[in-house]
Amino acid sequence: MATPQLDVLVVGAGPTGLSAALLLGRAGVRTHVVARHPGTSRHPKAHVVNARTMELFRQWGLSGEVGEAALPPERGLGMGWMTRMAGRELGRIMIEDDPAALEAMLTHSSEILRSCPQDVLEPHLLQAAEAHPGVTVEFATEVLSTEQDASGVTTRARSVRDGAERTFRSTYVIAADGSHSTIRRGLGIPTPRLQAAGHMIGVHFTADLAACRQDRPFLLWWIVNPDTQGVFITLDGHHRWVYLFGYDPSLHAAQDFTPERCAEIVRQAVGTPDVAVDVLGVFPWRMETAIAERFREGRVFLAGDAAHRFPPTGGFGMNTGIQDAHNLAWKLVHVWKGTAGEALLDTYETERRPVAMANAEQSVANAERMAPTGALLADPSSLLEVENEQSPEGAALRAQISAAIPAQREQAFFTGQTFGFVYDSAAIVADGTSAPESTVSVYRPTACPGARAPHLWLRTATDELVALHDAIADRFTVLTGPQGQAWENAAAEAGRRCGLDVGVLRIGPGTAWRDETGQWQELYEVGPSGCVLVRPDGHIAMRCSTDPGDALGVLTRALSKVLAQEKSPVAVG
């Protein structure tokens, strides 16, 4: 049985697929989501929601409820290393111990990093996506194949419940179907591994570990002893936890780790033999790094884990996927509306693949730096003396581990990695400048074309405090200064010529938008009559430091270039 014609079929209902559906639904795009699982995730899986992703949730009206559902910030202030949870502490990295880095986190965004487990997050995204009339979500449906032609994609799928097959016809397909993506394999897109795999078990459990948590407000608890090496993640700050540990597949099969055995391993890691552990789920997975060679094949786009997968050291996986969806959705919307050429869709891979590569490299670097601490895929024989308080060998080993802990700082402080990436593609109008390079920990705000527009708090004429990215929302927006009347006048006409609704924010004294910090012109490196054009995804498309005398022409040409309007801007009206 064939379904009605769809604009976009999204395969996969994890955070990436649901974010894509939500964004497309906001624009009125007919979107259907299929997923082979019976519902949203029952396992916590990912949990880090970085500040950039929280900015997006804020724009989608979700940051409040996600923040409420997340771990209270005061219960996850850093990470610690210890022989066992109830054992000797070997070292810690705490956010509050670096006031400058903490201040930077609070300065560069309207939001902060939160820890919200995937099984808690996904229902919020599902509800928000399904709130749009054009979005439908269907679980327990696995995709069998896709075939493309000049006008669309035919996708064969089968019900997991009764085996009934059906066919979907869509203009585009977003493959957000995970690391074992059926669609990616069917397209024959190579996904070379950049790092050998490590085999891991995730144990989701509840236990009363309050006695161990005293004076240790850690988000991550790294465990180092000869019996087990891994990490506890606190999910609610009280009773719900995950313990991740590695295993050797030449010695054990994944199915050997029964709930009963996993409960005993958790007790070993806690260091309290009689603690009551209720195992809610056991999740085997492979820790590896791999990036698809292509993110686009005709009308099919790979996103999230289907396009890239990283070690969990850094928490980049889910965030990269959600931000993939954010980058792709506005481009699909404009092509669907007819206000952009198909070539705009090529910039999805051009922009997002380098970000995935950078996040993969940082995840690998974090994992490699962990080796001297003994907490990740360590050789148990190297840790035999770590708990021996009487031997010189034990003291030397503990000192060696403690000395390696400060090098793990980038797992806690990564503001530059979060905000500092700069796109370079045909959807950017270069101005001859180079962006100052951010490090992993240090973000250097810039309005160089391709960069995320630096955060500002703006005060409206009605005395409301608004974050710049909230004011931009989902549309092209001109930012200009108090003498930018020419740009304000040009925005409406340039938008009309290009078929767009172009927003305008005039910022500064005497305007409707007042910069609370007075940093607008210095931060964006424009004069009182200068202009910055921001794309719907919040990245800078074009910058002019002054009024060039032909604001309408400059703005129209910039919009036309960014949107790949091949011959001339769209004529409307």
Side-chain angles (χ1 to χ4, degrees):
M1 181 179 68
T3 67
Q5 175 73 32
L6 298 166
D7 296 317
V8 179
L9 177 69
V10 178
V11 182
T16 300
L18 292 173
S19 294
L22 186 161
L23 287 163
L24 294 169
R26 280 162 63 96
V29 179
R30 292 170 298 172
T31 305
H32 187 64
V33 183
V34 294
R36 64 184 180 86
H37 297 294
T40 55
S41 178
R42 292 180 294 177
H43 191 82
K45 296 184 182 178
H47 68 101
V48 173
V49 184
N50 70 27
R52 178 58 180 145
T53 300
M54 284 299 295
E55 284 182 352
L56 303 184
F57 288 170
R58 182 186 180 98
Q59 293 167 25
W60 307 344
L62 289 174
S63 63
E65 60 190 78
V66 170
E68 286 291 323
L71 180 73
E74 67 275 9
R75 294 187 179 275
L77 296 176
M79 57 185 77
W81 282 256
M82 57 219 68
T83 56
R84 301 178 196 264
M85 185 181 276
R88 177 171 181 152
E89 185 174 322
L90 303 172
R92 59 172 64 188
I93 295 175
M94 303 298 289
I95 293 174
E96 60 191 5
D97 291 341
D98 192 333
L102 179 57
E103 177 64 22
M105 289 180 180
L106 301 175
T107 298
H108 295 311
S109 177
S110 58
E111 295 287 340
I112 60 171
L113 177 148
R114 303 303 299 264
S115 176
C116 185
Q118 190 169 330
D119 60 333
V120 173
L121 175 63
E122 284 185 8
H124 292 281
L125 289 171
L126 175 64
Q127 183 178 23
E130 290 187 317
H132 300 288
V135 175
T136 50
V137 181
E138 180 180 349
F139 290 101
T141 303
E142 60 180 347
V143 165
L144 304 175
S145 66
T146 58
E147 291 187 12
Q148 302 187 53
D149 55 42
S151 60
V153 187
T154 300
T155 302
R156 288 179 51 244
R158 176 173 58 207
S159 169
V160 173
R161 295 188 175 98
D162 61 16
E165 292 193 11
R166 59 194 304 199
T167 301
F168 297 93
R169 181 71 178 169
S170 60
T171 307
Y172 298 103
V173 168
I174 298 176
D177 52 341
S179 58
H180 301 293
S181 172
T182 298
I183 294 178
R184 185 192 65 233
R185 293 200 304 267
L187 293 171
I189 297 177
T191 311
R193 289 180 187 153
L194 307 181
Q195 184 195 44
H199 294 263
M200 307 291 292
I201 296 290
V203 185
H204 179 203
F205 69 96
T206 59
D208 183 359
L209 304 179
C212 302
R213 289 191 288 106
Q214 293 179 8
D215 302 320
R216 291 177 174 178
F218 302 143
L219 173 62
L220 304 179
W221 307 60
W222 294 99
I223 303 301
V224 184
N225 66 67
D227 299 320
T228 179
Q229 309 85 44
V231 59
F232 285 105
I233 305 169
T234 179
L235 300 180
D236 61 1
H238 296 287
H239 297 93
R240 201 160 78 98
W241 300 82
V242 164
Y243 183 57
L244 303 178
F245 62 92
Y247 72 97
D248 185 344
S250 68
L251 301 176
H252 305 283
Q255 54 267 32
D256 293 339
F257 293 92
T258 62
E260 294 75 19
R261 182 176 181 184
C262 287
E264 183 54 36
I265 291 172
V266 167
R267 292 187 188 96
Q268 289 179 325
V270 172
T272 308
D274 59 351
V275 66
V277 176
D278 182 11
V279 174
L280 305 178
V282 178
F283 182 68
W285 55 285
R286 289 198 306 180
M287 186 176 75
E288 60 183 0
T289 307
I291 310 290
E293 290 188 355
R294 301 187 302 281
F295 283 17
R296 180 187 184 188
E297 186 73 31
R299 295 177 175 275
V300 180
F301 301 85
L302 306 184
D305 287 355
H308 45 70
R309 47 197 186 273
F310 323 136
T313 41
F316 298 119
M318 179 171 68
N319 294 285
T320 308
I322 291 172
Q323 292 168 35
D324 288 345
H326 185 237
N327 181 283
L328 177 58
W330 76 266
K331 297 172 181 178
L332 282 171
V333 167
H334 279 286
V335 173
W336 170 73
K337 287 181 175 179
T339 51
E342 280 276 338
L344 175 62
L345 300 177
D346 290 332
T347 68
Y348 166 63
E349 177 182 318
T350 306
E351 293 182 349
R352 291 305 299 170
R353 194 170 187 276
V355 174
M357 290 293 293
N359 288 345
E361 289 167 4
Q362 183 58 30
S363 298
V364 171
N366 287 340
E368 290 175 344
R369 275 194 295 268
M370 283 291 296
T373 72
L376 187 65
L377 299 174
D379 177 1
S381 66
S382 68
L383 300 171
L384 292 176
E385 294 294 316
V386 73
E387 295 177 286
N388 190 334
E389 298 288 341
Q390 309 303 319
S391 74
E393 293 82 5
L397 179 55
R398 291 190 296 274
Q400 172 189 318
I401 292 171
S402 297
I405 289 172
Q408 317 308 318
R409 183 179 183 278
E410 288 182 350
Q411 288 195 61
F413 300 97
F414 47 89
T415 305
Q417 192 85 7
T418 299
F419 296 117
F421 57 90
V422 180
Y423 293 145
D424 181 12
S425 75
I428 300 296
V429 182
D431 67 353
T433 64
S434 297
E437 189 172 344
S438 296
T439 66
V440 173
S441 298
V442 178
Y443 167 55
R444 296 186 172 92
T446 176
C448 182
R452 161 191 168 269
H455 164 66
L456 287 173
W457 286 112
L458 301 175
R459 183 76 64 178
T460 69
T462 58
D463 208 37
E464 181 184 4
L465 195 62
V466 178
L468 173 70
H469 283 270
D470 294 345
I472 292 168
D474 297 330
R475 62 179 180 169
F476 282 94
T477 304
V478 166
L479 310 182
T480 187
Q483 298 174 28
Q485 186 65 50
W487 294 108
E488 185 169 14
N489 294 340
E493 177 59 20
R496 189 190 71 81
R497 293 182 182 184
C498 294
L500 306 171
D501 173 23
V502 178
V504 179
L505 302 180
R506 283 182 67 192
I507 302 171
T511 72
W513 299 89
R514 303 191 308 279
D515 171 21
E516 283 287 286
T517 64
Q519 294 181 308
W520 142 250
Q521 290 184 28
E522 179 183 357
L523 196 56
Y524 280 74
E525 296 184 277
V526 295
S529 64
C531 162
V532 170
L533 175 65
V534 185
R535 306 189 319 187
D537 62 353
H539 282 253
I540 306 292
M542 178 209 77
R543 177 174 60 178
C544 284
S545 58
T546 61
D547 179 357
D550 180 23
L552 176 58
V554 169
L555 195 53
T556 302
R557 288 190 294 273
L559 287 167
S560 184
K561 179 185 186 301
V562 170
L563 292 168
Q565 295 178 345
E566 296 176 5
K567 295 181 180 179
S568 61
V570 176
V572 295

